[in-house]
Amino acid sequence: MKKILITGGAGFIGSHVIRLFVDKYPDYHIYNLDKLTYAGNLENLKDVEEKPNYTFIKGDIIDDNFTQKLFEKYLFDGVIHLAAESHVDRSITNPMEFIMTNIVGTVNLLNAARNIWKNNFGDKRFYHVSTDEVYGSLGETGYFFEDTPYDPHSPYSASKASSDHLVRAYHDTYNLPVIISNCSNNYGPNQFPEKLIPLFINNIRHNKPLPVYGKGENVRDWLYVVDHARAIDVIYHSDKTGETYNIGGHNEWKNIDLIKVLCRVMDKKLGRDKGTSEKLITYVTDRAGHDLRYAIDSSKLQKKLGWKPSLQFEEGIEKTVDWYLANQEWLDNVTSGNYQKYYEDMYGRR
Ligand code: NAD
Ligand code: DAU
């Protein structure tokens, strides 16, 4: 039985990756290593927690001693590394947590993998999940390709860029069998309501203002989270290491246009008059260093590995709104902090 370590599996994307791997690969044992920060929530994995090929481990990748011992104990065959501090606004307020988890934490995992695998790499894999934000900002036209030079602007994207460089350095220096992917903005169920789409769904629900940064003209390329998980599956199982793949939905939206679509869908689902939610739009001071536009060219992934997004945006956004409205308790719980208290009681403070 192959032992796969997935880090950050209690978070938004990680929980979808865990579910896909646990269900699809009964001959893999999936270990979910997560610190359970404010963004990590085991409620996201209720349906897999009893599966025989799944184990949750609470732990912090910043702790090199812990990480080392964990790898020595379980002798993982592969790693899919998603654990990170992931919110740009938080990185502006508190960069150091991003440096520690995203850079130091990644190096600890690389060292631990190198230590147990020695030079017997066989079909071992260290898959690092990264972001399109490392490429910086585009103007009105053009796309990010795998060889677009790095140009990060926020502490978050700079920390992810740094971790990508370190992962590649371990490949070039020690032959560690690494793979990297850089994905565009994800949306869908289980995203913490600090990111644009779930934050605005929650605010509309409570008739609270919708804070649009600047003029709302920034452009993001949105991908349904399950399609990202499917891409991670395909890439993890690809033949060649040392490769990078861009993942994106070819689905660009100006923030303000996306917000108006979301408002319309919410009015419809909540049975409110047309235009009710749009009245909540409030323009606020722009994010510092706000990247204008991201757009991914994912043709390498599509041509070489045959992946393509399964959902159109209109369908994805309806599914997403439906999920949050059907799971209002989840939203209330993660915004009230009750679940953090629960973890403290269950696992104690570390
Ligand atoms: P998230 O914030 O929802 O989840 C991150 C998870 O990592 C949480 O469960 C958290 O508890 C865990 N974690 C944080 N610090 C840790 C530590 N020190 N040790 C162990 N676990 C820790 O993030 P997400 O949006 O699911 O993103 C997952 C990964 O995908 C990140 O690496 C992110 O950079 C990348 N990514 C995200 C997006 C996106 O749109 N959300 C797009 C492209 C790439
Ligand atoms: O591109 C991939 C990245 O997408 C991931 O690496 C990050 O982890 C993820 O958080 C996301 O980053 P963004 O900064 O693009 O996502 P966010 O949801 O924070 O913001 C999306 C856009 O909406 C961005 O242009 C900022 C704007 N925004 C965001 C919030 C939270 C607002 O106008 N108002 C808001 O309140």
Side-chain angles (χ1 to χ4, degrees):
M1 201 173 211
K2 283 223 157 72
K3 297 178 184 175
I4 316 287
L5 175 70
I6 300 185
T7 70
F12 166 48
I13 302 169
S15 60
H16 290 275
V17 176
I18 295 260
R19 178 171 302 102
L20 190 154
F21 272 69
V22 166
D23 288 346
K24 186 169 171 186
Y25 301 106
D27 52 334
Y28 289 178
H29 196 102
I30 304 300
Y31 296 85
N32 172 14
L33 167 61
D34 201 296
K35 182 180 179 175
L36 301 180
T37 67
Y38 77 96
N41 184 356
L42 291 177
E43 279 293 311
N44 297 345
L45 290 166
K46 270 264 165 263
D47 55 323
V48 293
E49 66 185 13
E50 300 296 335
K51 299 269 168 86
N53 63 334
Y54 171 75
T55 302
F56 172 70
I57 301 161
K58 185 175 189 294
D60 189 340
I61 59 170
I62 298 173
D63 182 344
D64 59 341
N65 189 38
F66 163 79
T67 313
Q68 197 61 53
K69 293 219 161 75
L70 188 77
F71 276 66
E72 284 164 12
K73 178 172 175 190
Y74 291 106
L75 298 171
F76 301 116
D77 298 292
V79 178
I80 305 178
H81 173 38
L82 295 111
E85 288 293 336
S86 68
H87 190 41
V88 173
D89 293 332
R90 285 181 191 255
S91 83
I92 295 169
T93 319
N94 186 3
M96 193 49 90
E97 280 186 23
F98 288 70
I99 307 306
M100 293 309 292
T101 288
N102 299 0
I103 306 177
V104 176
T106 301
V107 175
N108 285 338
L109 293 169
L110 289 165
N111 284 338
R114 198 180 151 228
N115 195 43
I116 58 157
W117 294 341
K118 310 277 186 243
N119 284 320
N120 302 320
F121 296 130
D123 59 357
K124 306 279 191 288
R125 286 278 182 285
F126 188 106
Y127 180 173
H128 177 61
V129 175
S130 192
T131 169
D132 61 356
E133 298 201 11
V134 298
Y135 298 124
S137 184
L138 291 164
E140 302 277 307
T141 57
Y143 291 96
F144 295 137
F145 297 91
E146 282 81 359
D147 59 358
T148 298
Y150 276 27
D151 182 24
H153 297 132
S154 72
Y156 163 68
S157 53
S159 69
K160 291 297 289 189
S162 175
S163 63
D164 292 10
H165 289 319
L166 284 156
V167 171
R168 288 198 183 94
Y170 272 63
H171 175 263
D172 296 349
T173 309
Y174 308 116
N175 296 318
L176 203 76
V178 309
I179 311 184
I180 299 180
S181 60
N182 297 85
C183 188
S184 64
N185 286 62
N186 285 215
Y187 71 99
N190 307 99
Q191 188 169 32
F192 194 82
E194 63 186 350
K195 309 277 169 70
L196 181 74
I197 290 179
L199 175 73
F200 279 31
I201 291 175
N202 200 32
N203 284 11
I204 291 171
R205 194 163 72 91
H206 293 294
N207 278 310
K208 280 166 61 178
L210 306 177
V212 179
Y213 297 163
K215 293 182 177 154
E217 284 176 350
N218 305 68
V219 175
R220 297 291 182 267
D221 176 359
W222 295 91
L223 180 70
Y224 193 63
V225 62
V226 174
D227 281 332
H228 189 187
R230 286 176 50 247
I232 289 173
D233 176 21
V234 168
I235 294 168
Y236 180 80
H237 290 99
S238 63
D239 291 338
K240 205 157 162 253
T241 56
E243 292 288 319
T244 298
Y245 294 92
N246 278 354
I247 312 173
H250 269 291
N251 177 42
E252 288 179 54
W253 285 84
K254 219 177 242 188
N255 288 343
I256 192 64
D257 296 336
L258 182 150
I259 290 161
K260 287 181 178 167
V261 170
L262 189 60
C263 286
R264 279 200 291 278
V265 175
M266 286 293 286
D267 283 345
K268 188 176 85 183
K269 301 275 177 190
L270 294 173
R272 295 181 182 170
D273 290 342
K274 259 189 187 167
T276 307
S277 301
E278 272 194 32
K279 291 200 189 106
L280 298 169
I281 290 175
T282 311
Y283 292 92
V284 299
T285 309
D286 208 353
R287 174 186 276 172
H290 198 172
D291 289 331
L292 177 67
R293 174 172 167 257
Y294 304 145
I296 277 279
D297 181 294
S298 63
S299 48
K300 175 178 174 186
L301 173 62
Q302 303 211 18
K303 282 187 194 134
K304 291 208 167 171
L305 304 182
W307 171 91
K308 61 176 193 306
S310 68
L311 274 190
Q312 295 296 313
F313 188 64
E314 289 68 17
E315 193 186 346
I317 205 76
E318 288 242 358
K319 269 175 96 113
T320 302
V321 168
D322 285 344
W323 186 86
Y324 286 98
L325 294 181
N327 290 276
Q328 300 194 31
E329 207 183 325
W330 182 94
L331 266 175
D332 291 339
N333 206 8
V334 297
T335 44
S336 77
N338 278 348
Y339 82 111
Q340 283 281 313
K341 166 93 180 58
Y342 167 74
Y343 287 146
E344 272 167 23
D345 293 347
M346 187 164 163
Y347 295 104
R349 282 170 204 273
R350 294 208 178 188

